[in-house]
Amino acid sequence: MGAAERRPMHAVWLIALWLAGPGNLPLWQRIFALEGTLAHRLVLLAGLGLVVTAATAALLSLLAWPRVFRPAATLLVLVAAFNTHFMWQYGVVMDPTMLANVAHTDVREVRDLLSLHLVGTVLLVAGPPLWWLWHRPVVSRVWWAQTGRNLTGVVVGLLVMVGAGLASYQGLASLMRNHKDVRYMINPLNSVYAATRVAADQLPPQVRTLQPTGEDATLGASYATQVRPPLLMLVVGETARAENWGLNGYARETTPALRRWQEQSGLVNFPQVRSCGTNTQVSLPCIFSPLTREDGGDKTPTQENLLDVLQRAGLAVLWLDNQSGCKGICDRVSHASTSELNLPGLCEGGECFDEAMLHGLDERIAALDPVRRARGVVLVMHQMGSHGPAYSKRTPVDRKPFLPECTSNTLSACAPEQLVNAYDNTIAYTDHFLGQSLQWLQQQSTEGRFDTGMIYVSDHGESLGENGLYLHGVPYAFAPDQQTHVPMVGWLSPALQQRSGVSIDCLRQQAAARLSHDNVFHTVLGLMDVSTQARDNALNVVAPCRS
């Protein structure tokens, strides 16, 4: 009998050492780059390395059953390998919101993330330990003996972890306090913690119904004398950051169409808007939540949302999606996806450009409940927008004003100016899409079908290599400005201005005020003249400008 067979904990500690070492290279690289003396950094590396090794060994000891250990250890090693790639390539960390975002990723998004670099990293990090692990014999023991060994392993691991933590407490406490992102870089414990939090957040809603919101919702006085019903288009952008938004003073003109609407047709730009989260999984529900971010709007929804209130008031609601879904927001209203379309020039390989949402829009509106439609319509359009890392795929070949552009999904391998070109092209295409949408709305108003208006706001921003970060999803507490400062614009037709009593000149004077996703719920209710105790006029952007 070999030594490995005589000592089953041998495998536990070897796998733990590998995970703590090669499996955490981005973590050690991050710590080694900190300010301070070399001796100080080496002490931090040693102390944290021992804590991580012991904690991982304690976790693996819990799983050290003959038929469980190898598949469980394999999963942890693969998770660490994939985390290593994405932390290296994009500077992301694995916190609960990031894992929730990953869980809702669709096939198109996964395809954009695949690369040879990913394969290489996984092979280098996961290959050696998995080859060794699966070539070891499996030793079976009676359950009571195995239980004792496992518990002994857990206790030893925890004792070593506590001892190492106490011995290097001063340095580790300072590290975790001043560099909070480090705690989300510890592989694979970061994913274990995130999975536990996500499970705790996601399971309860499956066994309880959402709390009703706006049960008292009624339509205001404007509906009693209306000549035409209102139609408000709410465009939820994807990954657009305010820094590259032309109307906000960006050096490049990435928003020429919107600028014309601003100069000629009363479009209002809001330059100081903050997102509720740094990924779609958090921000999208928060935009439609009656709760502010401070009150829990960024948490897993427990209440009905804006669309429920609008529908309860008697309006027609339609959600059109060109993304990976509405995260449950549109489940109780009419909704459709561009995945059903196959439009030449607009759709290819299971993905459509955002303009596809305008295809057949008149027919979609006409198919809504006629009684509700006669009162008014709220149309939500969820963009693909600037979704990365394959920015070049988000824009048609004839809509690329900034060249040459990065065509790789390994963003760190692209020249910085080409990466910015690719991203700016997506903003310019969003500008084109919004211009087309505004033309459609203006036509509806001119032809006397509806009194129309539009609000556009992005769900979150994006990092393009600043401070070594790419994409988005950094925990909100220490997210960079590029991921939380988002663009927002609003436009009301003359008929909707008259109907709502909103002064555009006043709105422009108020536009520089600090706003956030918290304002959307209440502003939409205000524009649609829906009365309910759930509506807070202090958060209604247009309230100060109503005559």
Side-chain angles (χ1 to χ4, degrees):
M1 181 179 293
E5 290 181 79
R6 291 194 305 270
R7 294 179 294 172
M9 287 297 106
H10 185 72
V12 166
W13 283 90
L14 283 179
I15 295 295
L17 281 168
W18 181 272
L19 287 171
N24 272 284
L25 288 177
L27 171 64
W28 308 133
Q29 185 180 34
R30 172 81 168 85
I31 291 177
F32 204 77
L34 296 175
E35 295 180 357
T37 64
L38 177 60
H40 174 69
R41 283 176 286 171
L42 289 176
V43 169
L44 277 179
L45 287 169
L48 185 57
L50 192 53
V51 168
V52 172
T53 302
T56 306
L59 173 63
L60 289 170
S61 295
L62 283 174
L63 306 170
W65 299 92
R67 298 187 181 278
V68 174
F69 181 71
R70 286 206 297 202
T74 297
L75 177 61
L76 291 175
V77 169
L78 287 174
V79 166
F82 277 94
N83 285 352
T84 294
H85 168 77
F86 291 112
M87 284 192 284
W88 254 342
Q89 289 297 323
Y90 304 119
V92 301
V93 294
M94 187 57 67
D95 71 326
T97 57
M98 177 60 76
L99 185 61
N101 212 37
V102 170
H104 288 81
T105 297
D106 63 13
V107 175
R108 295 176 299 177
E109 294 171 336
V110 171
R111 184 179 58 206
D112 288 345
L113 293 170
L114 298 178
S115 68
L116 290 177
H117 287 83
L118 172 61
V119 175
T121 302
V122 171
L123 287 176
L124 286 173
V125 175
L130 293 186
W131 183 90
W132 177 82
L133 182 65
W134 285 91
H135 280 77
R136 294 183 71 254
V138 177
V139 181
S140 298
R141 289 179 172 80
V142 293
W143 69 269
W144 56 266
Q146 188 65 55
T147 301
R149 289 178 182 274
N150 290 1
L151 290 178
T152 300
V154 172
V155 171
V156 171
L158 292 177
L159 288 175
V160 173
M161 181 184 72
V162 171
L166 291 175
S168 51
Y169 174 78
Q170 192 65 38
L172 292 181
S174 177
L175 174 68
M176 296 302 172
R177 183 170 58 251
N178 298 320
H179 304 279
K180 295 180 180 179
D181 58 316
V182 167
R183 68 187 68 180
Y184 298 116
M185 297 180 69
I186 301 174
N187 263 330
L189 301 178
N190 51 1
S191 295
V192 174
Y193 166 75
T196 304
R197 281 286 305 275
V198 168
D201 289 341
Q202 296 297 325
L203 287 177
Q206 297 175 4
V207 297
R208 67 170 185 263
T209 57
L210 295 174
Q211 297 176 15
T213 298
E215 290 184 290
D216 60 337
T218 57
L219 298 178
S222 63
Y223 289 87
T225 58
Q226 72 177 13
V227 177
R228 293 173 301 275
L231 189 158
L232 182 66
M233 178 187 289
L234 176 57
V235 181
V236 181
E238 168 66 32
T239 322
R241 69 184 201 175
E243 188 172 310
N244 293 54
W245 193 250
L247 293 182
N248 287 343
Y250 185 46
R252 282 176 163 175
E253 185 52 284
T254 53
T255 54
L258 292 179
R259 189 171 298 281
R260 288 192 296 271
W261 282 87
Q262 183 186 46
E263 293 171 351
Q264 301 171 15
S265 303
L267 181 134
V268 180
N269 180 60
F270 300 92
Q272 297 296 334
V273 180
R274 297 288 158 176
S275 68
C276 185
T278 60
N279 59 57
T280 305
Q281 183 63 26
V282 171
S283 284
L284 195 60
C286 192
I287 290 172
F288 293 84
S289 173
L291 302 177
T292 64
R293 185 179 190 280
E294 184 177 334
D295 291 333
D298 61 335
K299 303 298 188 296
T300 301
T302 58
Q303 295 180 296
E304 293 177 340
N305 61 64
L306 172 64
L307 305 188
D308 296 300
V309 179
L310 294 167
Q311 185 162 258
R312 182 170 288 121
L315 299 173
V317 181
L318 174 62
W319 179 290
L320 296 181
D321 204 284
N322 193 33
Q323 252 275 6
S324 56
C326 68
K327 316 304 181 189
I329 302 165
C330 65
D331 289 352
R332 296 169 297 281
V333 302
S334 298
H335 56 273
S337 171
T338 57
S339 61
E340 307 163 2
L341 302 178
N342 185 21
L343 304 174
L346 288 178
C347 301
E348 183 178 348
E351 180 177 321
C352 296
F353 296 117
D354 286 327
E355 283 178 274
M357 288 190 286
L358 297 172
H359 180 80
L361 193 50
D362 291 298
E363 291 77 9
R364 293 188 187 275
I365 298 294
L368 296 173
D369 179 271
V371 176
R372 291 178 174 275
R373 187 181 68 242
R375 299 189 188 106
V377 178
V378 173
L379 169 64
V380 183
M381 303 182 104
H382 185 202
Q383 281 187 272
M384 177 61 79
S386 303
H387 197 289
Y391 304 119
S392 62
K393 293 183 179 180
R394 307 286 95 90
T395 54
V397 292
D398 60 342
R399 290 284 171 188
K400 297 180 183 292
F402 308 109
L403 294 171
E405 67 171 359
C406 168
T407 57
S408 171
N409 56 7
T410 305
L411 302 184
S412 58
C414 292
E417 60 274 10
Q418 294 185 14
L419 175 58
V420 173
N421 284 347
Y423 182 81
D424 283 351
N425 285 336
T426 68
I427 300 296
Y429 181 64
T430 287
D431 171 74
H432 170 72
F433 166 68
L434 293 177
Q436 296 290 101
S437 301
L438 286 166
Q439 288 182 22
W440 181 83
L441 288 168
Q442 189 176 59
Q443 182 180 4
Q444 299 297 310
S445 184
T446 302
E447 295 178 359
R449 298 192 187 98
F450 295 98
D451 297 340
T452 57
M454 184 184 79
I455 296 174
Y456 162 85
V457 65
S458 181
D459 61 350
H460 55 77
E462 187 86 325
S463 289
L464 298 176
E466 298 89 1
N467 300 313
L469 295 176
Y470 296 89
L471 301 181
H472 51 268
V474 172
Y476 200 90
F478 42 90
D481 189 70
Q482 289 86 0
Q483 294 190 25
T484 60
H485 186 191
V486 295
M488 175 173 158
V489 299
W491 174 83
L492 306 178
S493 67
L496 189 56
Q497 291 177 43
Q498 183 177 2
R499 176 193 180 100
S500 63
V502 174
S503 165
I504 292 299
D505 290 337
C506 170
L507 204 55
R508 282 179 165 171
Q509 293 173 5
Q510 304 279 340
R514 293 186 67 85
L515 304 173
S516 73
H517 284 165
D518 295 344
N519 299 98
V520 175
F521 178 94
H522 309 278
T523 302
V524 170
L525 291 180
L527 282 172
M528 296 304 292
D529 194 16
V530 174
S531 299
T532 169
Q533 290 184 352
R535 174 177 140 193
D536 183 353
N537 273 333
L539 293 172
N540 178 2
V541 174
V542 301
C545 295
R546 297 187 67 172
S547 59

